[in-house]
Amino acid sequence: MRAQQLLKAFSQAGKRAFLVGDLNAGVIVALDLEGRWFGILNGEILNRVNPEAIAGQSTGDRYLNPGGDGLWPAPEGTKLGYQYAAGAWRVPPGLLAARFQLTRSAGRSVTIRAEIDLVNNQGLGIPALFERRITVSPGRAAVTVRALESITYLGRATWGRGDCLLAPWSLCQFDCRSGCEVVFPCRRKAVVWDLYNDRSDGQRTWVDGFCHTRTDGKYRYQIGIGAEVPWIEFRDPQRGLTVRRTSDALTLAQSHIDIRDAEPTTSPGGKGVRYSVYTDAAGFMEIEAAGGCPVILRPDSVMSIAVNTRFAVTEK
């Protein structure tokens, strides 16, 4: 999809969208669609776009996944997750209804914010402020988007990890097809594990210290990747597209957590996720980066993560 077409689609739907950078190298920030952003290079949208999500409205019964790059709260499942508060899986209504506000704009950078009330799977209410500070840096046949993602706890009570986990989680989505894969440097197979019960080992090959995991849209799986892996890279040879995600190291006050989509009766595990790869049999995938959570969640605690996403396109 061309960037101009996406801007027109938001306008026709009566939903606010803001261009950061320009149509050659930039992002379109969807203020009324979960605060998601969509990368642009040479006038082309690089992320997956779901036009139905722009024109329509998600409900508790049917989630219209917008594509682009979104900020979600982690964990997804387990007793302390945010997707099963009403019993069945659903995106938190506070996130669906959020209308992000543009609080700062300067050249190739922008800051957006929204207050979003969360409820975890134990029924604990967590008032929070979501913020995305986005900066665009153009390059030769490439564009880099740096996003400082943060969730600030606005409540007055203090909680330990046995009652509440909360971390920022950035999900960057793409259409995928035969030949697509995610590659990352990794010499120890124990650093990669399944987040579902399915075993996805057969989707991966290990060559010269690199893991190659297929994301061809034919097999649904999700893997967690530990903190020692420095980056992950999505590759789509048909489009000549590579997308590398790198997250900054966490502060000593926070550590990675179990973000997986597990049953709400399950306790969180001990393995912390820095990166994740999700691929769906519906023909799309996500490269994800997760932040951390402090041992004690206190009033005004800020959970943050800085993520660099570099898009590059080569001539086919």
Side-chain angles (χ1 to χ4, degrees):
M1 174 182 280
R2 301 293 293 177
Q4 288 282 24
Q5 291 176 294
L6 183 57
L7 287 170
K8 182 178 180 180
F10 279 115
S11 178
Q12 290 177 334
K15 293 178 179 176
R16 295 170 303 148
F18 187 82
L19 176 64
V20 185
D22 54 44
L23 296 180
N24 290 317
V27 297
I28 292 173
V29 179
L31 296 168
D32 294 332
L33 194 62
E34 300 179 24
R36 295 205 177 205
W37 59 258
F38 299 79
I40 307 168
L41 189 61
N42 298 326
E44 194 74 24
I45 298 295
L46 303 176
N47 292 97
R48 176 178 183 261
V49 177
N50 180 4
E52 189 178 7
I54 298 171
Q57 179 66 49
S58 292
T59 65
D61 297 325
R62 186 173 181 232
Y63 177 55
L64 304 175
N65 196 321
D69 183 291
L71 172 60
W72 275 15
E76 183 171 359
T78 76
K79 291 180 179 179
L80 301 182
Y82 297 97
Q83 309 296 81
Y84 292 92
W89 187 95
R90 64 173 186 172
V91 177
L95 180 58
L96 293 181
R99 297 297 177 259
F100 280 77
Q101 300 301 313
L102 186 69
T103 62
R104 179 181 175 273
S105 176
R108 294 186 177 274
S109 66
V110 70
T111 299
I112 63 173
R113 291 177 181 170
E115 288 193 25
I116 298 174
D117 290 340
L118 302 170
V119 179
N120 76 8
N121 297 335
Q122 296 298 294
L124 180 65
I126 307 294
L129 175 69
F130 282 46
E131 182 178 88
R132 315 192 78 183
R133 299 181 185 178
I134 303 163
T135 302
V136 174
S137 299
R140 186 173 182 179
V143 61
T144 298
V145 181
R146 180 171 175 84
L148 178 59
E149 314 277 29
S150 66
I151 300 177
T152 302
Y153 170 54
L154 300 178
R156 297 297 92 194
T158 296
W159 303 103
R161 281 196 168 200
D163 298 302
C164 178
L165 290 175
L166 179 60
W169 181 17
S170 173
L171 307 90
C172 201
Q173 196 171 106
F174 300 91
D175 293 314
C176 58
R177 67 205 93 239
S178 180
C180 288
E181 63 175 356
V182 173
V183 180
F184 50 91
C186 184
R187 294 190 176 276
R188 293 197 309 121
K189 292 186 179 181
V191 178
V192 182
W193 65 96
D194 274 281
L195 296 183
Y196 299 147
N197 292 328
D198 312 314
R199 296 303 303 168
S200 63
D201 294 13
Q203 301 301 304
R204 288 185 289 285
T205 56
W206 303 78
V207 182
D208 297 330
F210 287 82
C211 176
H212 298 246
T213 187
R214 284 192 295 276
T215 58
D216 54 13
K218 299 177 182 177
Y219 183 77
R220 181 178 180 266
Y221 71 87
Q222 186 174 16
I223 55 174
I225 302 169
E228 68 185 66
V229 172
W231 51 263
I232 60 176
E233 184 175 276
F234 172 63
R235 298 176 180 175
D236 182 349
Q238 184 172 322
R239 294 179 69 187
L241 174 66
T242 61
V243 185
R244 179 174 295 193
R245 302 209 92 185
T246 308
S247 65
D248 291 359
L250 298 180
T251 67
L252 294 178
Q254 299 181 13
S255 58
H256 293 290
I257 64 171
D258 178 9
I259 69 169
R260 65 198 161 112
D261 182 11
E263 290 293 323
T265 54
T266 304
S267 296
K271 284 187 173 181
V273 176
R274 180 179 186 180
Y275 299 111
S276 178
V277 177
Y278 172 75
T279 181
D280 195 282
F284 70 90
M285 60 81 61
E286 295 172 345
I287 45 176
E288 307 172 353
C293 181
V295 174
I296 303 294
L297 189 68
R298 295 183 171 87
D300 302 318
S301 291
V302 180
M303 286 63 66
S304 63
I305 181 176
V307 183
N308 291 308
T309 307
R310 183 181 185 273
F311 301 84
V313 176
T314 58
E315 294 291 335
K316 297 186 290 291

